[in-house]
Amino acid sequence: MEIRQLKEEDAEQFLELNKQLDDTGYMLYDPGERQMNVEGQRKAIAQMKANPSTHFLVAVEGESLIGFIAVLRGKLKRNSHSAYLVLGVDKNYRGQGVTSALFEEVFSWSQIQGISRLELTVIKHNHPAFNLYSKMGFILEGEKVRSLMIDGKHVNEYYMYKLL
């Protein structure tokens, strides 16, 4: 497995990976809600790469994208030490160290960049993800009540953080 930066030529595979992740019910998009096409995804990747506050890594197995992690750094002086993470791994590769490898790359990169706080959110009932994040050193900071509406029901999210 290789961890590298996301490239414009990854657009089609990245879009397919995101659609598969949307189907899990644990991401922000509902299944089928994502309307991006390949060209739009290519442009979005180019914009992300041009943004100095964004660092986007993918995990690659052979020729296939199997996971990603996005680091969205604060843009102002007061919050540039902090970054919000978004991540997802192909269901066929879970439990194989992909997420841990992505996190380790981000931890190293963040320290070099002077980022001392990482944060993320996780749906409260996504116990496997919560447990993995805890294992990676993230601490429960609080609960965002009724933050999402999934299948017509209110769902809470946990806020988690890790200090570097």
Side-chain angles (χ1 to χ4, degrees):
M1 176 182 58
E2 172 192 10
I3 305 292
R4 64 166 172 77
Q5 289 198 12
L6 181 65
K7 304 175 189 174
E8 287 95 333
E9 51 267 29
D10 295 325
E12 185 171 0
Q13 280 194 58
F14 184 64
L15 186 58
E16 288 307 311
L17 174 61
N18 274 292
K19 287 180 178 179
Q20 181 238 95
L21 293 169
D22 294 342
D23 288 343
T24 67
Y26 290 124
M27 302 302 276
L28 188 56
Y29 283 83
D30 266 341
E33 183 179 11
R34 190 179 299 269
Q35 297 300 309
M36 178 84 66
N37 62 28
V38 174
E39 186 54 36
Q41 185 67 71
R42 188 174 285 113
K43 288 177 183 174
I45 292 169
Q47 289 173 341
M48 284 186 275
K49 286 179 66 177
N51 183 343
S53 297
T54 302
H55 185 60
F56 217 110
L57 299 174
V58 290
V60 182
E61 183 68 44
E63 298 296 315
S64 300
L65 291 187
I66 61 171
F68 74 89
I69 191 165
V71 183
L72 310 170
R73 186 176 192 168
K75 296 178 183 179
L76 304 173
K77 190 174 185 178
R78 290 186 177 191
N79 68 358
S80 64
H81 71 286
S82 180
Y84 182 79
L85 305 179
V86 179
L87 61 144
V89 172
D90 181 315
K91 65 181 180 267
N92 299 312
Y93 291 90
R94 292 190 187 137
Q96 298 179 31
V98 176
T99 305
S100 297
L102 288 164
F103 270 130
E104 291 303 332
E105 287 290 325
V106 165
F107 296 160
S108 296
W109 179 86
S110 295
Q111 288 181 314
I112 292 166
Q113 297 298 313
I115 295 172
S116 59
R117 176 187 164 92
L118 297 172
E119 52 193 52
L120 54 79
T121 57
V122 59
I123 291 174
K124 184 177 179 176
H125 62 265
N126 187 352
H127 303 293
F130 179 84
N131 292 336
L132 176 61
Y133 302 155
S134 295
K135 182 181 121 187
M136 297 304 300
F138 285 82
I139 297 167
L140 177 62
E141 186 164 39
E143 185 170 342
K144 189 173 181 183
V145 177
R146 292 180 142 193
S147 62
L148 300 173
M149 183 71 80
I150 300 176
D151 296 328
K153 296 181 180 117
H154 293 285
V155 175
N156 296 1
E157 288 179 289
Y158 284 141
Y159 278 103
M160 299 183 80
Y161 75 96
K162 178 181 175 87
L163 300 180
L164 302 174

